[in-house]
PDB file of all heavy atoms in Angstrom:
ATOM      1  N   SER A  15      -6.272  52.058 -36.514  1.00 97.00           N
ATOM      2  CA  SER A  15      -6.066  52.251 -35.091  1.00 97.00           C
ATOM      3  C   SER A  15      -7.363  52.214 -34.302  1.00 97.00           C
ATOM      4  O   SER A  15      -8.460  52.167 -34.887  1.00 97.00           O
ATOM      5  CB  SER A  15      -5.429  53.686 -34.896  1.00 97.00           C
ATOM      6  OG  SER A  15      -6.292  54.658 -35.315  1.00 97.00           O
ATOM      7  N   PHE A  56      -2.974  50.097 -41.295  1.00 98.00           N
ATOM      8  CA  PHE A  56      -1.904  50.489 -40.350  1.00 98.00           C
ATOM      9  C   PHE A  56      -2.304  50.694 -38.876  1.00 98.00           C
ATOM     10  O   PHE A  56      -3.405  51.365 -38.702  1.00 98.00           O
ATOM     11  CB  PHE A  56      -1.065  51.651 -40.909  1.00 98.00           C
ATOM     12  CG  PHE A  56      -1.847  52.937 -41.018  1.00 98.00           C
ATOM     13  CD1 PHE A  56      -1.849  53.892 -39.995  1.00 98.00           C
ATOM     14  CD2 PHE A  56      -2.548  53.327 -42.165  1.00 98.00           C
ATOM     15  CE1 PHE A  56      -2.451  55.077 -40.066  1.00 98.00           C
ATOM     16  CE2 PHE A  56      -3.168  54.458 -42.338  1.00 98.00           C
ATOM     17  CZ  PHE A  56      -3.177  55.406 -41.261  1.00 98.00           C
ATOM     18  N   SER A  89      -2.211  52.338 -31.982  1.00 95.00           N
ATOM     19  CA  SER A  89      -1.923  53.707 -32.307  1.00 95.00           C
ATOM     20  C   SER A  89      -1.805  53.873 -33.870  1.00 95.00           C
ATOM     21  O   SER A  89      -2.305  53.094 -34.526  1.00 95.00           O
ATOM     22  CB  SER A  89      -0.575  54.118 -31.586  1.00 95.00           C
ATOM     23  OG  SER A  89      -0.676  54.002 -30.208  1.00 95.00           O
ATOM     24  N   THR A  90      -1.156  55.021 -34.221  1.00 96.00           N
ATOM     25  CA  THR A  90      -1.364  55.475 -35.632  1.00 96.00           C
ATOM     26  C   THR A  90       0.029  55.701 -36.282  1.00 96.00           C
ATOM     27  O   THR A  90       0.486  56.798 -36.331  1.00 96.00           O
ATOM     28  CB  THR A  90      -2.186  56.750 -35.714  1.00 96.00           C
ATOM     29  OG1 THR A  90      -3.342  56.590 -34.985  1.00 96.00           O
ATOM     30  CG2 THR A  90      -2.546  57.163 -37.101  1.00 96.00           C
ATOM     31  N   PRO A  91       0.725  54.669 -36.702  1.00 97.00           N
ATOM     32  CA  PRO A  91       2.022  54.829 -37.469  1.00 97.00           C
ATOM     33  C   PRO A  91       1.884  55.206 -38.873  1.00 97.00           C
ATOM     34  O   PRO A  91       2.229  54.488 -39.885  1.00 97.00           O
ATOM     35  CB  PRO A  91       2.620  53.412 -37.261  1.00 97.00           C
ATOM     36  CG  PRO A  91       1.445  52.467 -37.337  1.00 97.00           C
ATOM     37  CD  PRO A  91       0.355  53.191 -36.603  1.00 97.00           C
ATOM     38  N   LEU A  92       1.284  56.379 -39.158  1.00 98.00           N
ATOM     39  CA  LEU A  92       0.881  56.865 -40.445  1.00 98.00           C
ATOM     40  C   LEU A  92       2.066  57.006 -41.429  1.00 98.00           C
ATOM     41  O   LEU A  92       2.056  56.521 -42.586  1.00 98.00           O
ATOM     42  CB  LEU A  92       0.000  58.112 -40.423  1.00 98.00           C
ATOM     43  CG  LEU A  92      -0.541  58.673 -41.718  1.00 98.00           C
ATOM     44  CD1 LEU A  92      -1.867  59.364 -41.349  1.00 98.00           C
ATOM     45  CD2 LEU A  92       0.330  59.543 -42.446  1.00 98.00           C
ATOM     46  N   MET A 124      -3.893  61.943 -35.902  1.00 95.00           N
ATOM     47  CA  MET A 124      -2.596  62.335 -36.210  1.00 95.00           C
ATOM     48  C   MET A 124      -1.619  61.214 -36.099  1.00 95.00           C
ATOM     49  O   MET A 124      -1.810  60.365 -35.119  1.00 95.00           O
ATOM     50  CB  MET A 124      -2.245  63.498 -35.263  1.00 95.00           C
ATOM     51  CG  MET A 124      -0.840  64.118 -35.530  1.00 95.00           C
ATOM     52  SD  MET A 124      -0.586  64.710 -37.295  1.00 95.00           S
ATOM     53  CE  MET A 124      -1.554  66.272 -37.127  1.00 95.00           C
ATOM     54  N   GLU A 125      -0.581  61.146 -36.835  1.00 96.00           N
ATOM     55  CA  GLU A 125       0.541  60.300 -36.729  1.00 96.00           C
ATOM     56  C   GLU A 125       1.050  60.400 -35.263  1.00 96.00           C
ATOM     57  O   GLU A 125       1.188  61.417 -34.654  1.00 96.00           O
ATOM     58  CB  GLU A 125       1.717  60.791 -37.598  1.00 96.00           C
ATOM     59  CG  GLU A 125       3.165  60.586 -37.181  1.00 96.00           C
ATOM     60  CD  GLU A 125       3.483  59.075 -37.141  1.00 96.00           C
ATOM     61  OE1 GLU A 125       3.047  58.335 -38.095  1.00 96.00           O
ATOM     62  OE2 GLU A 125       4.110  58.681 -36.149  1.00 96.00           O
ATOM     63  N   ASN A 126       1.313  59.183 -34.674  1.00 93.00           N
ATOM     64  CA  ASN A 126       1.843  59.169 -33.307  1.00 93.00           C
ATOM     65  C   ASN A 126       2.690  58.019 -32.972  1.00 93.00           C
ATOM     66  O   ASN A 126       3.115  57.907 -31.814  1.00 93.00           O
ATOM     67  CB  ASN A 126       0.692  59.264 -32.339  1.00 93.00           C
ATOM     68  CG  ASN A 126      -0.214  58.114 -32.405  1.00 93.00           C
ATOM     69  OD1 ASN A 126       0.123  56.919 -32.892  1.00 93.00           O
ATOM     70  ND2 ASN A 126      -1.515  58.204 -31.918  1.00 93.00           N
ATOM     71  N   SER A 127       3.134  57.214 -33.846  1.00 92.00           N
ATOM     72  CA  SER A 127       3.945  55.988 -33.499  1.00 92.00           C
ATOM     73  C   SER A 127       4.933  55.509 -34.569  1.00 92.00           C
ATOM     74  O   SER A 127       5.361  54.362 -34.409  1.00 92.00           O
ATOM     75  CB  SER A 127       3.007  54.873 -32.954  1.00 92.00           C
ATOM     76  OG  SER A 127       2.101  54.474 -33.981  1.00 92.00           O
TER      77      SER A 127
END
Side-chain angles (χ1 to χ4, degrees):
S15 63
F56 63 94
S89 300
T90 310
L92 186 149
M124 182 60 75
E125 151 67 41
N126 60 21
S127 59

